[in-house]
Amino acid sequence: MKKVTNVFWISLALVLLAVGYGAFAPENFAEVTGNIETFLTTSFGWYYLLIVSIMVLFCLFFLISPMGQIKLGKDNDKPEFSFGTWIAMLFSAGMGIGLVFWGAAEPLSHYAIDPATAEPGTAEAFRESMRFTFFHWGIHAWAIYAVVALALAYFQFRKGEPGLISATLKPLFGEKMNGPWGTLVDVIAIFATAVGVATTLGFGTIQINEGLAFLFDAVPGNNFIVQVVIIAVATVLFLASAWSGLSKGIKYLSNTNMVLAISLLALVLIFGPTLLILNMFTDTVGNYFQNLLRMSFRAAPIDQENRAWIDGWTIFYWAWWISWSPFVGIFIARVSKGRTIRQFLFGVLIIPTVLSFIWFAAFGSTAIDVQSSGADLTGLLTSETLFGVFEQLPLGTFMSIIAILLVTTFFVTSADSATFVLGMQSTNGSLNPSNAIKVTWGVAQSSIAVILLSAGGLDALQTALIISAFPFSFIMLLMMGSFYKSLSLEYKAIKRKR
């Protein structure tokens, strides 16, 4: 505990305060956070749409810019992990549980329950459902992660700064980032990370609960006691993994995740409507790019019904990715040393986007095909939808078992990675935070997840996300300006030497 900074104690106090508030006054907690969330989505939805689009353009600029040849590290540094393991690690940390939770449920909702603009159950609703799902999980999501990861990796491995969010702002604010202002920045990042990861753990817990209830009659569905037991067991597992270190626990778990995910995807492709999946993937990729600009800035200012849909889906997702960006960004930066900026952006932006598209084309098309064939899935909870789809397919029970295992390993990987990242941020950027620090943050994450579930399940989880993301979004804008300033000066110096 010797390396612990003020950031650790302040962040932990804030987390404990939030946990205590939720535990002792759950109804008031839900009401207050709900009011804040409504204010942010109705008053600042335009802001989320604009800044996320700016982040996409920012990343695309450096992907094609001559500055993209500069390494995230010293000129002779080599990547620490193989390309396949690197992709598996960033994909597991970046999407993980969300892919399984929303893979069938989101496209189905956009098609049959609450379409963006089309009539429910129509061919247009089918096309629109896939397009918006691709939009929510595509380039925009990964650009948010890339902005944070790029700045962190550059300043940490190229400039020798500690792996702290505050350290990336030194080109703009100088030594002020070593004092109280830097502490404030890092505290905001840690709090956003803790809430963002806890929210995702909550999603995973709910789905594991529903999967077990689907497989075993003795297990009640959507049961808070069962969910607490699941979180407790998972906490022991991810703390054991965190104890073993980055190159062992997270590496092996990430590779296991990819094997399970590819196996489940292959089974859905084989036993689902294969031709429909392939055709929808191809058609939706074109549809996505054709409508990308319109979707990116769609605010529906004079259509309250469409505006409510945007708040509930697009703004929620942008806030989710922003709240996860300190965690995922720091983790991706940590495993990306030695790659050029161009290699990094290709790996972080393009490959995960394509994999996400394939995943949602398979699970979304299968869910909609099942719905269209007469099995009504719309009455199921969001967390039950995937298992309802599997019930209509050959080997459905086997696929459900794989899905539960996949959510569990994603759960453990996400929490494991987050304990590492939170430990880094609260020990002045240490690349190997102590086990005591990681255990402290692991227990804190699980506690937040339990409190949010007790305060209202999915609604409380989504509310917490949007609130925690808002202050960190301003820091992200500053990070982009700081990174551009430092990198452009270095590039000019390199050109002069030539």
Side-chain angles (χ1 to χ4, degrees), residues 425-474:
Q425 290 294 287
S426 53
T427 54
N428 201 36
S430 169
L431 294 178
N432 294 291
S434 71
N435 286 330
I437 295 293
K438 290 190 285 188
V439 168
T440 301
W441 282 121
V443 173
Q445 282 177 160
S446 297
S447 300
I448 298 173
V450 170
I451 293 303
L452 290 174
L453 286 170
S454 72
L458 277 177
D459 289 340
L461 294 170
Q462 294 184 9
T463 298
L465 267 176
I466 291 171
I467 294 171
S468 68
F470 187 68
F472 190 71
S473 66
F474 297 103

Side-chain angles (χ1 to χ4, degrees), residues 70-107:
I70 294 175
K71 268 193 177 183
L72 299 173
K74 305 304 180 186
D75 290 335
N76 58 350
D77 282 343
K78 302 295 182 185
E80 184 179 353
F81 300 98
S82 69
F83 186 76
T85 296
W86 178 59
I87 292 296
M89 292 173 83
L90 66 89
F91 195 71
S92 295
M95 292 300 178
I97 292 169
L99 285 174
V100 188
F101 191 90
W102 295 107
E106 181 175 346

Side-chain angles (χ1 to χ4, degrees), residues 166-230:
S166 59
T168 66
L169 303 183
K170 285 185 178 179
L172 295 181
F173 302 107
E175 292 305 309
K176 289 181 181 179
M177 287 296 106
N178 291 329
W181 287 108
T183 298
L184 176 63
V185 167
D186 292 329
V187 166
I188 291 172
I190 286 180
F191 191 77
T193 299
V195 174
V197 174
T199 301
T200 304
L201 300 186
F203 285 143
T205 301
I206 292 170
Q207 190 156 46
I208 292 171
N209 183 183
E210 296 304 334
L212 292 173
F214 175 78
L215 292 174
F216 306 106
D217 292 337
V219 178
N222 195 26
N223 183 275
F224 179 65
I225 302 300
V226 174
Q227 291 164 5
V228 172
V229 173
I230 291 168

Side-chain angles (χ1 to χ4, degrees), residues 115-127:
T117 61
E119 288 295 316
T122 61
E124 178 55 31
F126 193 172
R127 287 190 291 270

Side-chain angles (χ1 to χ4, degrees), residues 163-433:
L164 301 171
I165 298 291
S166 59
T168 66
L169 303 183
K170 285 185 178 179
L172 295 181
F173 302 107
E175 292 305 309
K176 289 181 181 179
M177 287 296 106
N178 291 329
W181 287 108
T183 298
L184 176 63
V185 167
D186 292 329
V187 166
I188 291 172
I190 286 180
F191 191 77
T193 299
V195 174
V197 174
T199 301
T200 304
L201 300 186
F203 285 143
T205 301
I206 292 170
Q207 190 156 46
I208 292 171
N209 183 183
E210 296 304 334
L212 292 173
F214 175 78
L215 292 174
F216 306 106
D217 292 337
V219 178
N222 195 26
N223 183 275
F224 179 65
I225 302 300
V226 174
Q227 291 164 5
V228 172
V229 173
I230 291 168
I231 289 176
V233 172
T235 300
V236 172
L237 291 174
F238 77 68
L239 288 178
S241 175
W243 202 276
S244 68
L246 181 69
S247 62
K248 294 180 182 177
I250 300 177
K251 175 182 175 181
Y252 295 139
L253 277 171
S254 296
N255 287 330
T256 301
N257 286 344
M258 290 303 284
V259 171
L260 287 172
I262 291 170
S263 300
L264 189 61
L265 177 62
L267 288 170
V268 172
L269 283 168
I270 293 168
F271 293 108
T274 308
L275 187 58
L276 177 65
I277 291 170
L278 296 175
N279 281 328
M280 284 307 299
F281 170 77
T282 305
D283 185 72
T284 307
V285 168
N287 203 353
Y288 167 79
F289 284 110
Q290 183 181 358
N291 292 276
L292 188 58
L293 196 63
R294 179 69 191 99
M295 290 188 294
S296 298
F297 296 97
R298 179 174 173 260
I302 53 176
D303 188 330
Q304 289 303 311
E305 187 175 344
N306 283 346
R307 177 66 206 201
W309 190 94
I310 294 167
D311 288 345
W313 287 100
T314 304
I315 303 304
F316 161 67
Y317 272 120
W318 287 185
W320 189 3
W321 306 141
I322 290 171
S323 71
W324 253 50
S325 65
F327 150 54
V328 180
I330 293 166
F331 182 75
I332 292 175
R334 172 65 182 83
V335 300
S336 300
K337 181 181 180 181
R339 301 187 186 278
T340 67
I341 291 172
R342 188 171 292 118
Q343 290 169 345
F344 172 88
L345 287 172
F346 179 79
V348 174
L349 274 187
I350 309 302
I351 295 178
T353 293
V354 172
L355 291 174
S356 298
F357 286 0
I358 295 170
W359 182 274
F360 281 102
F363 286 82
S365 299
T366 302
I368 291 173
D369 184 64
V370 167
Q371 176 72 23
S372 301
S373 300
D376 187 10
L377 304 173
T378 58
L380 299 176
L381 297 172
T382 305
S383 50
E384 295 175 318
T385 303
L386 181 66
F387 303 106
V389 172
F390 287 161
E391 195 171 24
Q392 306 300 317
L393 299 179
L395 299 182
T397 300
F398 179 62
M399 285 191 270
S400 294
I401 292 171
I402 294 178
I404 293 171
L405 288 174
L406 182 58
V407 174
T408 303
T409 56
F410 272 142
F411 187 124
V412 173
T413 308
S414 297
D416 184 353
S417 306
T419 59
F420 174 81
V421 165
L422 290 167
M424 273 184 65
Q425 290 294 287
S426 53
T427 54
N428 201 36
S430 169
L431 294 178
N432 294 291

Side-chain angles (χ1 to χ4, degrees), residues 1-5 9 426-427 434 436-437:
M1 301 287 283
K2 290 180 181 179
K3 292 183 179 179
V4 167
T5 61
W9 298 112
S426 53
T427 54
S434 71
I437 295 293

